[in-house]
Amino acid sequence: MSKVQSNQGFKWMLMLAAVLLLPGLVALGFWQLDRADQKERLLQSWSATQLYKTIPDEMAISGQQFIAVDLEGFFDRERYFLLDNRVRNGMAGYEVIALFYPRNGSALLVNLGWIEADYDRRILPKVLLPSGTQKVVGKLKGINHAFVLDEDLAITERQWPSLIQSLDTERMGDLLQEPVLPLELKIKQPLISGLDLNWPVVSMSPEKHLGYAVQWFAMALVLSGLLLWSWKLIQRESRHE
């Protein structure tokens, strides 16, 4: 094999790699556009003012929007969870997850807000939950289970408060020995003083997703131009052999 043929073979391999890469870049661009649309709809649902007095049936399957609710019921004052690794303004802390029992309903996870962690992580904050019939007003959303390691989800010790790494209603229900609705209610009116209710609605704004989409599409456009240029170059070299 001559040196020219070897060079052409290498160029064809590069072109093949680029052709295989191009659909991935385009797919990533459209994925970012879809994520931007999801985040925009999520922000719109957070700002919606329609108020429900009961939990809508569709909430059992919807994890893509918030619904405003005004519910009456009571809290389990003995058992609650601390959702670990929640950071606010650079400070580590927990989100306090309480068990709330609406009238004629199963246990609902109510996020009462963020509390700063002690310097000694072995010391967990104690929270005095409200007693008697309570009204909770906030935004309800289906729980989207994130991918975590099995050991991070382990909830085995029946001591309270119980430290958890994510909201896994099935395992939480196993610990409580009762069903837990796959929903989370973030309150908008404080029930306990000292807890932070400045909820981060989305982790990344729709504008950032759009910016990433533009970057992926731009990379795909540049790669397409390089492919076209390389093709013409190879054809020109072939004619001059």
Side-chain angles (χ1 to χ4, degrees), residues 88-103:
R88 300 280 179 93
N89 300 318
M91 296 185 296
Y94 313 94
E95 289 179 6
V96 180
I97 309 296
L99 296 168
F100 182 75
Y101 294 87
R103 293 180 176 177

Side-chain angles (χ1 to χ4, degrees), residues 204-228:
M204 185 182 295
S205 68
E207 292 75 18
K208 281 193 176 181
H209 283 292
L210 289 174
Y212 285 130
V214 170
Q215 290 180 12
W216 288 119
F217 287 136
M219 291 172 65
L221 183 62
V222 170
L223 185 59
S224 299
L226 289 174
L227 279 171
L228 180 61

Side-chain angles (χ1 to χ4, degrees), residues 80 82 94 96 115-118 121 123-127 161 163:
Y80 62 94
L82 294 175
Y94 313 94
V96 180
I115 187 171
E116 186 178 355
D118 192 276
R121 298 285 285 177
I123 302 175
L124 299 179
K126 299 295 184 181
V127 177
L163 190 64

Side-chain angles (χ1 to χ4, degrees), residues 53-119:
K53 293 290 186 178
T54 59
I55 299 175
D57 292 337
E58 63 268 22
M59 286 303 299
I61 57 174
S62 175
Q64 301 301 321
Q65 63 177 348
F66 289 100
I67 290 181
V69 295
D70 180 352
L71 305 175
E72 281 193 355
F74 64 92
F75 286 98
D76 183 333
R77 302 190 70 211
E78 303 298 327
R79 303 179 298 176
Y80 62 94
F81 299 89
L82 294 175
L83 186 57
D84 200 5
N85 297 319
R86 307 291 111 174
V87 178
R88 300 280 179 93
N89 300 318
M91 296 185 296
Y94 313 94
E95 289 179 6
V96 180
I97 309 296
L99 296 168
F100 182 75
Y101 294 87
R103 293 180 176 177
N104 302 321
S106 299
L108 172 67
L109 300 179
V110 174
N111 196 325
L112 296 174
W114 179 89
I115 187 171
E116 186 178 355
D118 192 276
Y119 288 108

Side-chain angles (χ1 to χ4, degrees), residues 132-152:
T133 301
Q134 297 289 326
K135 176 182 287 190
V136 292
V137 178
K139 296 290 184 172
L140 192 64
K141 180 177 176 290
I143 295 174
N144 292 322
H145 295 290
F147 174 77
V148 291
L149 298 176
D150 283 344
E151 53 266 28
D152 291 337

